[in-house]
Amino acid sequence: MLQGRFLPPWLLLFGFVLAASARPAVADPKPWRIEKAVGAPPWLKLGLEQQSRFEHLENDYRAKAEGDATALLFRTLVMAEASARWFLGGLELEDSRVYASDSTPLNTTLVNPLEILQAYVGVRTTGAFAEHDSLEVRAGRITVDLGTRRVVARNRFRNTINGFTGVDGRWTSPGKHVARAFVVVPVTRLPSEPDALRDNEIARDKESTDSLLWSGSYSSPTLAFGTQLELYVVGFHERDGDVASRNRQLVTVGARWFRKPTTGKVDFDLEVIPQLGSSRTTTAMDDTVDRDHRALSSHAELGISAVMPWKPRFALQHDYASGDRDPADGSLERFDPLFGARRFDFGPTGIYGPFARSNIQTPGVRISVAPSSKLEAFASYRLFWLASRTDAWTTAGVRDSTGESGTFLGEHIEAMVRWSPWPKNLSLEGGAAYLRRGQFAKSAPDTRTSNATYVYTQLTLTL
């Protein structure tokens, strides 16, 4: 049964839906914002976002899953940022709660009640090094989006958000070249105990001082033929402390060349991400062997936006993330996704999320449409294989080290529709995904034979 009280938030959100429906047919040119309503001074920016989602998963794909899973997820963000001349300071609070069925597995990607997500001070100025350039530096607890967000991301669909503590700086030249660097330590979300998660207990998050994340990146302005280039390097270093670790000492390098979708033109996106260093196979205290880590991930996409009603875009996609070739040798080849997001590549996460950027290869097709500024939708079809037959289907916790179960994970179909009756203020979204199991997903140890079906509905209010 669902635990806790959830009717008041739903009644409040229902009221906002009615209010939005009662608005005139011609919407205001700009979205409604809190700071205008309260008459905030120009140097103060205020904001609120409330995301509510219902999810149901039938035939959970995970090893030893108890059955179907159902959850109500609520994420509320409240932020304020003050800026005067060159100074800026910001505060953002996060409240992420879940009310779930007894069979729904919970973790800190779902639950993080009443926490400081960001609290920073910094500088924002122009003309720091050249005329018409811009510089922004933030220090404190922050969130980070890097490039395509495949390695480091501020989560959007997921109910909780990655947080870090450290320094982040960005410089933009007069010619729109962007250089960025950050050095941070990850924030460990709490609580993490099963009973505390189910009760949505409040516990203060803490910095993980036994790990360090750093990055340097460059983004180009528009180049020949409307293309752009992004380059980045990310280092992650950890050691055993209060919590056992895999002692990862990793350097991840990324190169991306792309052209953004434009009506009537072909677009593309190519990203290659090699990963080098050392790590251990498990977090077990008796695992003290540091093994060479050599892994690779890539993304390739080719699309065209047709000059047609509803603005359709058709795309061919392929993603690859290496897996460990031999569990008995002295090296590891499984790609580590670090702090990246995956919803935009592999489908909804939440209580679902059957695929991650580790030990997979997957071609697919995708079509998206936008009949109006208030309505958009997409559908995708992908096939999934293990990159290495002897490595794990990581998100399911399933592995056949003999390789006799094959590599085919299955077919994945997804569809989503989003309606924004009050653009940039209120959106309603519904989606579904279907996983038809392949040979490996049916015959490997601890797997099931039933196909998985996932549905969700979501309401997002932004003020």
Side-chain angles (χ1 to χ4, degrees):
M1 297 180 62
L2 295 175
Q3 305 295 319
R5 300 176 181 177
F6 56 87
L7 284 178
W10 281 106
L11 290 176
L12 177 63
L13 291 171
F14 182 68
F16 279 115
V17 173
L18 293 179
S21 302
R23 289 171 60 86
V26 179
D28 295 333
K30 293 183 179 180
W32 189 88
R33 290 293 180 256
I34 288 179
E35 60 255 28
K36 292 183 180 180
V38 301
W43 51 265
L44 180 62
K45 181 180 179 181
L46 304 173
L48 180 146
E49 179 185 281
Q50 210 295 315
Q51 178 176 285
S52 301
R53 185 166 66 242
F54 170 81
E55 302 182 43
H56 176 72
L57 172 59
E58 186 174 321
N59 298 322
D60 196 332
Y61 61 89
R62 299 171 181 88
K64 302 178 181 178
E66 296 182 7
D68 300 345
T70 302
L72 286 169
L73 301 91
F74 299 98
R75 187 183 74 190
T76 303
L77 302 174
V78 180
M79 64 83 62
E81 184 180 82
S83 59
R85 294 187 179 180
W86 54 267
F87 171 81
L88 66 91
L91 176 67
E92 183 174 17
L93 303 179
E94 173 190 18
D95 187 72
S96 297
R97 299 171 185 258
V98 174
Y99 303 95
S101 61
D102 293 337
S103 60
T104 302
L106 299 181
N107 54 47
T108 60
T109 68
L110 300 171
V111 181
N112 192 21
L114 196 57
E115 186 54 56
I116 297 175
L117 180 62
Q118 296 196 92
Y120 58 85
V121 295
V123 298
R124 181 184 292 149
T125 185
T126 58
F129 302 106
E131 188 176 3
H132 303 304
D133 73 351
S134 63
L135 174 68
E136 180 175 318
V137 180
R138 299 180 300 156
R141 184 172 286 189
I142 58 177
T143 60
V144 178
D145 266 339
L146 178 64
T148 57
R149 306 172 56 246
R150 292 189 172 98
V151 178
V152 182
R154 175 184 167 115
N155 312 89
R156 298 175 186 173
F157 187 89
R158 201 181 79 182
N159 206 46
T160 65
I161 299 173
N162 293 328
F164 306 92
T165 298
V167 180
D168 179 18
R170 182 195 307 263
W171 178 72
T172 304
S173 77
K176 303 304 179 183
H177 298 270
V178 180
R180 182 182 185 184
F182 61 79
V183 180
V184 296
V185 296
V187 172
T188 301
R189 292 183 296 274
L190 295 173
S192 58
E193 298 79 13
D195 290 342
L197 291 169
R198 195 160 293 278
D199 292 338
N200 291 299
E201 289 187 6
I202 297 173
R204 186 176 64 87
D205 292 354
K206 63 180 182 180
E207 282 69 22
S208 177
T209 55
D210 295 308
S211 57
L212 178 71
L213 180 73
W214 58 267
S215 175
S217 63
Y218 164 77
S219 299
S220 77
T222 302
L223 305 175
F225 307 106
T227 65
Q228 290 180 260
L229 180 67
E230 292 180 352
L231 303 170
Y232 58 85
V233 57
V234 177
F236 183 62
H237 311 277
E238 66 179 357
R239 63 187 179 186
D240 291 340
D242 294 336
V243 178
S245 74
R246 291 173 45 221
N247 197 37
R248 288 172 290 179
Q249 310 295 323
L250 303 178
V251 175
T252 304
V253 180
R256 180 189 180 212
W257 185 40
F258 65 100
R259 182 161 68 178
K260 295 179 179 179
T262 305
T263 302
K265 295 184 179 181
V266 173
D267 62 85
F268 67 90
D269 194 340
L270 301 173
E271 186 170 12
V272 180
I273 316 172
Q275 191 174 68
L276 302 172
S278 65
S279 61
R280 297 171 184 169
T281 306
T282 69
T283 60
M285 296 300 293
D286 58 353
D287 185 356
T288 59
V289 179
D290 294 323
R291 303 168 66 185
D292 290 338
H293 184 106
R294 299 187 299 271
L296 177 69
S297 180
S298 64
H299 172 81
E301 184 168 340
L302 180 66
I304 183 168
S305 300
V307 185
M308 298 172 60
W310 288 29
K311 301 178 182 179
R313 177 178 180 266
F314 306 88
L316 300 176
Q317 301 171 311
H318 184 273
D319 285 88
Y320 171 82
S322 59
D324 190 32
R325 291 192 294 265
D326 185 351
D329 66 9
S331 63
L332 290 170
E333 293 84 26
R334 181 193 295 175
F335 187 83
D336 191 319
L338 295 176
F339 301 93
R342 53 193 169 113
R343 190 268 181 270
F344 48 86
D345 283 332
F346 306 136
T349 50
I351 65 172
Y352 187 51
F355 305 108
R357 201 165 283 104
S358 290
N359 192 35
I360 59 165
Q361 53 179 329
T362 165
V365 295
R366 180 185 181 106
I367 179 172
S368 58
V369 295
S372 72
S373 62
K374 297 182 179 182
L375 185 63
E376 57 184 315
F378 78 82
S380 70
Y381 173 79
R382 300 194 77 142
L383 301 171
F384 283 86
W385 284 269
L386 297 177
S388 170
R389 67 175 57 236
T390 57
D391 198 5
W393 178 12
T394 58
T395 51
V398 176
R399 183 172 191 170
D400 182 356
S401 58
T402 69
E404 295 180 356
S405 299
T407 61
F408 187 46
L409 293 174
E411 304 169 74
H412 192 253
I413 303 171
E414 180 193 357
M416 184 279 294
V417 178
R418 181 185 296 119
W419 176 50
S420 302
W422 189 357
K424 297 183 180 181
N425 278 129
L426 182 69
S427 69
L428 296 95
E429 179 178 325
Y434 179 72
L435 172 60
R436 183 181 181 186
R437 290 176 177 268
Q439 179 185 356
F440 179 91
K442 291 190 292 186
S443 60
D446 297 321
T447 54
R448 297 179 169 192
T449 57
S450 300
N451 300 323
T453 302
Y454 167 84
V455 294
Y456 75 92
T457 57
Q458 176 176 294
L459 186 149
T460 304
L461 176 70
T462 306
L463 301 176

